[in-house]
Amino acid sequence: MCDRSCCRPNLGELCELPSGVFFPYRCKTVSVSPVGASSMAIEDDELIKDFIVESQEHLSDVESQLLTLESQQNGVDVALVNKVFRAVHSIKGAAGFLGFEVLESLAHRGEEVLNRLRNHEMRPTSLVINTLLKATDRLKQLLDSLDTSNEQNVDEHIIALEALLNEP
């Protein structure tokens, strides 16, 4: 049994992700293919296709939403930040479940910045929004090449997001 709180004892049961989507339960200790250039942690092509479609839908409006936030530097629309946060959070959760660690890691850092914005600990300055936009573009690129996403380098984006998080 793995340490995921959503795991069920039987493989036939469903697991609900934070996005409200149900996936067939698969414990990380169950025999699955290792992550690599031609294999994925979970071999269910339909599940992967659904993840890609759902993630692309989540990201489709994020750019315009972030630009709207940038124009509200002094009066942040928390509901709009929450909408962007939920989109990135859903991608992070599903990516982690499916074993796409690089995608999960980048989404997690973006989620942390968005959390600071919604808690009014950070303002949506041009630097913050541009960094989030670049990270979002990179998430889209990772989704477009999902089969090799765990081999791709996103350090530049993670470092930029962490720099925002480390500002006083």
Side-chain angles (χ1 to χ4, degrees):
M1 184 55 88
C2 80
D3 62 352
R4 295 176 90 66
S5 63
C6 60
C7 288
R8 306 295 195 285
N10 298 311
L11 286 175
E13 293 185 21
L14 296 177
C15 174
E16 184 177 8
L17 293 182
S19 65
V21 173
F22 287 88
F23 288 98
Y25 158 75
R26 290 194 190 211
C27 178
K28 289 190 175 199
T29 60
V30 173
S31 176
V32 292
S33 299
V35 175
S38 62
S39 61
M40 296 185 191
I42 297 178
E43 298 177 342
D44 187 340
D45 289 339
E46 200 59 40
L47 186 61
I48 302 296
K49 288 177 188 173
D50 289 345
F51 166 67
I52 292 170
V53 168
E54 181 180 324
S55 296
Q56 288 172 335
E57 287 173 0
H58 284 307
L59 293 174
S60 65
D61 295 327
V62 167
E63 181 177 351
S64 64
Q65 293 165 342
L66 287 172
L67 291 172
T68 298
L69 288 172
E70 183 179 19
S71 69
Q72 305 171 342
Q73 289 191 21
N74 294 326
V76 176
D77 180 353
V78 175
L80 186 56
V81 177
N82 281 333
K83 189 172 185 177
V84 176
F85 179 89
R86 281 191 304 274
V88 174
H89 180 75
S90 294
I91 293 168
K92 180 196 79 170
F97 178 80
L98 294 169
F100 299 113
E101 291 103 6
V102 171
L103 192 60
E104 177 189 22
S105 178
L106 181 56
H108 180 69
R109 288 298 175 267
E111 180 186 56
E112 288 180 305
V113 171
L114 289 163
N115 191 46
R116 293 260 180 101
L117 283 171
R118 75 181 182 172
N119 291 330
H120 303 286
E121 297 169 9
M122 185 181 287
R123 288 185 31 233
T125 63
S126 293
L127 176 62
V128 170
I129 297 302
N130 286 335
T131 304
L132 285 168
L133 287 169
K134 288 177 185 175
T136 301
D137 286 344
R138 190 65 173 115
L139 287 173
K140 290 176 186 178
Q141 292 169 356
L142 291 169
L143 286 166
D144 289 341
S145 57
L146 200 55
D147 59 335
T148 61
S149 65
N150 279 343
E151 300 163 11
Q152 296 188 38
N153 187 327
V154 295
D155 290 348
E156 171 187 343
H157 300 286
I158 290 178
I159 289 168
L161 292 164
E162 287 177 350
L164 295 175
L165 294 167
N166 291 327
E167 286 184 357

